[in-house]
Amino acid sequence: MEHKMFCFQCEQTAGCSGCTGNAGVCGKSSATAALQDELTGALIGLAKACGNNPRTEDTTHILIEGLFTTITNVNFNDETLREMIAKVHAEKERVVPNCATCASPCGNTSDYDMKEIWEADEDIRSLKSLILFGIRGMAAYAYHAAVLGYEDETVNAFFYKALSFLGFDLEMGDLLPVVLEVGEVNLKCMELLDRANTETFGNPKPTKVPLTVEKGPFIIITGHDLYDLKLLLEQTKDKGINVYTHGEMLPAHAYPLLKQYPHLKGNFGTAWQNQQKEFDGVPAPILYTTNCLMPVKESYRDRVFTTEVVSYPQMVHIGADKDFTPVIEKALELGGYKEDTEFTGINGGKEVMTGFAHGTVLSVADQVVDAVKSGAIRHFFLVGGCDGARPGRNYYTEFVKQTPKDSVILTLACGKYRFNDLDLGEISGLPRLMDMGQCNDAYSAIKVAVALAEAFGCSVNELPLSMVLSWYEQKAVCILLTLLHLGIQNIKLGPTLPAFISPNVLAYLVEHYHIAPITTPEADLKEILGA
């Protein structure tokens, strides 16, 4: 029987309600969606099997890899999804031998049927979706940290707990604490990844990144995995090949260890959703290291390479050996541009800044506090999050343009590409626009907010700080839950509210946290500033 697709985990889901046809807005087919549901059901079964049975490091890695695989824009390949499902089943057989052939099956460790969630009461479905999508996002952070050798037992254990809760018949009162616990544990997970990145690559430093591509062979690397970038830089040394970041890889330019490679030249293009246009006919290979892969167009399919959990049918995949020779050979074959080629950001800027992580901002905390006390800085805006193609995201560009000159804009993740090439000037020697990094670096924004609250002797909610966020996929969900765990209120969220939030759950969030949808830049600024 043909699977009826149901998916509403991303912001661009059809009709703001759910993708139910033959293909999702993201481009995945109904068959792929069915396999992702099957994989999730298998992961729930594995987690429950470990409730009374010992798990190993391999078990945890399989859970995290499986969750990461189901994030939007990671895997479009039915073959590799089936391989992942088989890996989960093999691990469950190791944990509970002969379970599948038991004469008296208890059913507790069976693969879970995801229709039990999708067809549940809308409030139960909403809360379980928040848990599931939150731990999918958190799994991405845990995966990147583990690549660098950093793990946390509290974080790892929670994946088992959360997955098991999804498979139980529970009431709203049982699920709501777990939703908030996702945010609590994700804070620990983001801190872990921050430590992994900074201890491995150094503390980010403010860095100007050119958007011009120099003549000659080059490689574009996109995604979030800094270690993959380091390996690529090592393998391309002295080969006459330049390397350019794309999308969420932009913050790599700020890390001291990566800045040491002279052939890490600049940034190519803008946010992930523009790749089909920007990669069209580009004379260079593109290496995808994590999510943000869009369906590949014919005009550049011969130059796309994937690695880690990213997978797309018929693309060359670089396996665990991390031998990037095929990418290097393709770069030399294509040859790059014959002359230096000048590109610009969305607003015409020729360079962008990055590297204002918590280490940099807190190093001038006294200067910031003095500027606030003197009245030089009236307000801080955190404007960031995911970018996407749905109409309405130009709101964030207009919002930033209209912020008063005595305000500072902190930004992060790919939503910044809407405005990160604007020159907004300075306040008291500080740039008005500070890019704190990618979505993986959201911990920086939280740490700065908490530190400023301590400096002023107040709560974060009493700071002259407003959060105006955009979301697209599941990492944004776990970050939002972390903000709620910290008790942060009055968040403005857009361009639409999540389709998986039921009216009752939304009412709870509005009542307790005063979350509100964005309206217009003018109206929102007037409300925030009281002007």
Side-chain angles (χ1 to χ4, degrees), residues 294-445:
M294 289 187 72
V296 180
K297 291 178 63 176
E298 188 65 33
S299 63
Y300 61 89
R301 65 182 300 114
D302 66 324
R303 56 206 69 185
V304 167
F305 298 82
T306 60
T307 192
E308 297 294 342
V309 298
V310 188
S311 189
Y312 196 86
Q314 301 177 347
M315 300 296 102
V316 176
H317 188 79
I318 307 299
D321 64 353
K322 293 297 180 181
D323 182 357
F324 293 119
T325 298
V327 188
I328 293 169
E329 290 177 343
K330 179 61 72 172
L332 294 172
E333 173 194 332
L334 293 170
Y337 294 110
K338 295 181 179 180
E339 301 293 339
D340 292 358
T341 304
E342 189 176 88
F343 294 94
T344 65
I346 288 177
N347 302 287
K350 296 180 181 180
E351 63 182 18
V352 293
M353 285 282 289
T354 191
F356 291 94
H358 61 83
T360 293
V361 177
L362 295 181
S363 70
V364 293
D366 291 344
Q367 189 177 342
V368 173
V369 170
D370 289 343
V372 174
K373 289 180 176 179
S374 72
I377 296 178
R378 176 171 39 145
H379 207 84
F380 295 90
F381 295 95
L382 175 59
V383 185
C386 309
D387 204 359
R390 187 191 292 276
R393 288 183 182 266
N394 60 325
Y395 163 96
Y396 297 94
T397 309
E398 293 306 312
F399 185 95
V400 168
K401 285 181 177 179
Q402 294 179 35
T403 53
K405 295 187 184 302
D406 56 358
S407 64
V408 170
I409 295 91
L410 306 174
T411 189
L412 51 80
C414 57
K416 64 176 170 275
Y417 278 104
R418 295 276 170 172
F419 49 79
N420 69 337
D421 63 323
L422 291 171
D423 182 1
L424 299 181
E426 296 185 345
I427 298 179
S428 300
L430 300 169
R432 282 194 59 220
L433 178 61
M434 301 185 192
D435 174 19
M436 309 189 85
Q438 55 196 53
C439 56
N440 290 20
D441 301 309
Y443 178 73
S444 273

Side-chain angles (χ1 to χ4, degrees), residues 451-470:
L452 287 175
E454 291 175 353
F456 285 106
C458 65
S459 71
V460 172
N461 291 316
E462 293 172 313
L463 285 171
L465 168 67
S466 300
M467 297 191 181
V468 183
L469 307 180
S470 54

Side-chain angles (χ1 to χ4, degrees), residues 201-215:
F201 303 109
N203 286 306
K205 306 295 182 186
T207 303
K208 288 184 179 181
V209 183
L211 303 181
T212 295
V213 177
E214 297 180 14
K215 66 179 180 180

Side-chain angles (χ1 to χ4, degrees), residues 11-12 25 272-274 294 387-393 418 472:
E11 190 271 334
Q12 291 179 178
V25 174
W272 67 272
Q273 82 276 359
N274 299 321
M294 289 187 72
D387 204 359
R390 187 191 292 276
R393 288 183 182 266
R418 295 276 170 172
Y472 173 72

